[in-house]
Structure formats: C-alpha cells, structure tokens
C-alpha cells in the first residue's frame, strides 16, 4: 500500500504542470483559437515522465522550472510590494501568488525525485 502511494505521489508535480498547461491552453484558445495549440506542447515532457520516466529529462525539467519559478517569484514580489510596475493589467494577486509558489514547490519536488532516483 505504501509503495502504491509513493508511486502516485511522485507523479503529482507532473500532473500539476500538465493541468496548468491544459488550463493555459483553454484560456488562450477562447481568445486566440488555433494559435493556442502549441501550448499543448509544454505538457508533452510531463506526460512522458508519467508514462516512461527518464532521470535526465526529470532533472532538466526540475532545473528549468526552478529557474522560471524563481523569476516569477521575484516578479510577483515586486508587483505585490509595488517596487516597479510590471504591466498595465492587474490580475488577482492572491491567485497569481498561489500559482507562482506552487510552480516553485512542484519544480523542487521534481528535482527531489530526480535526486532520490540517482541515489
């Protein structure tokens, strides 16, 4: 039972990023139409990790998304603290913050899974 839970627990970050890609696709698809389909390409590496895990891809995804998430955290904090104006559009700060920090945690989780498999 415990190994079954661990098996599915390791898939949570990949499912998260796949769900974010699907949500992003649906939002953009309503406005842009067919131009939103390349967004679905972002989900392919995460789905691949669920079907056939690869430690090199896992580590690359983790490092890439930690870097992107770190940049997003800096942008979020700068917007929240009104240090500089990043955009004219003011989206709900709470939801943006939750998404940014969830991305960071999930990326760290991917790296943790990668390091755990390497040992």
């Amino acid at each position: 039972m415990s190994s079954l839970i661990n098996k599915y627990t390791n898939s949570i970050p990949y499912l998260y990023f796949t769900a974010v890609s699907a949500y992003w696709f649906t939002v953009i698809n309503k406005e842009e139409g067919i131009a939103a389909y390349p967004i679905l390409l972002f989900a392919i590496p995460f789905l691949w990790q669920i079907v056939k895990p690869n430690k090199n891809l896992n580590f690359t995804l983790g490092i890439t998304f930690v870097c992107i998430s770190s940049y997003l955290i800096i942008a979020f904090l700068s917007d929240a603290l009104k240090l500089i104006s990043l955009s004219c559009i003011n989206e709900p700060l709470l939801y943006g913050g939750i998404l940014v920090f969830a991305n960071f945690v999930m990326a760290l989780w991917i790296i943790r899974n990668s390091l755990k498999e390497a040992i």
Side-chain angles (χ1 to χ4, degrees), residues 2-67:
S2 177
S3 65
L4 183 66
I5 291 172
N6 284 339
K7 178 183 175 185
Y8 290 115
T9 302
N10 289 338
S11 298
I12 289 174
Y14 312 115
L15 292 171
Y16 169 80
F17 282 115
T18 302
V20 168
S21 298
Y23 175 75
W24 188 28
F25 166 75
T26 56
V27 168
I28 300 297
N29 192 30
K30 289 178 187 176
E31 298 171 6
E32 301 292 327
I34 199 164
Y37 282 92
I39 293 171
L40 291 178
L41 296 174
F42 288 119
I44 292 173
F46 299 107
L47 290 173
W48 186 260
Q49 281 299 101
I50 293 171
V51 175
K52 188 176 179 185
N54 179 335
K55 71 177 186 176
N56 292 333
L57 177 61
N58 192 32
F59 190 70
T60 303
L61 286 172
I63 292 296
T64 301
F65 279 87
V66 162
C67 293

Side-chain angles (χ1 to χ4, degrees), residues 67-84:
C67 293
I68 291 171
S69 297
S70 298
Y71 171 75
L72 289 174
I73 288 171
I74 292 168
F76 170 74
L77 290 175
S78 140
D79 191 34
L81 299 173
K82 304 283 188 237
L83 297 177
I84 57 173

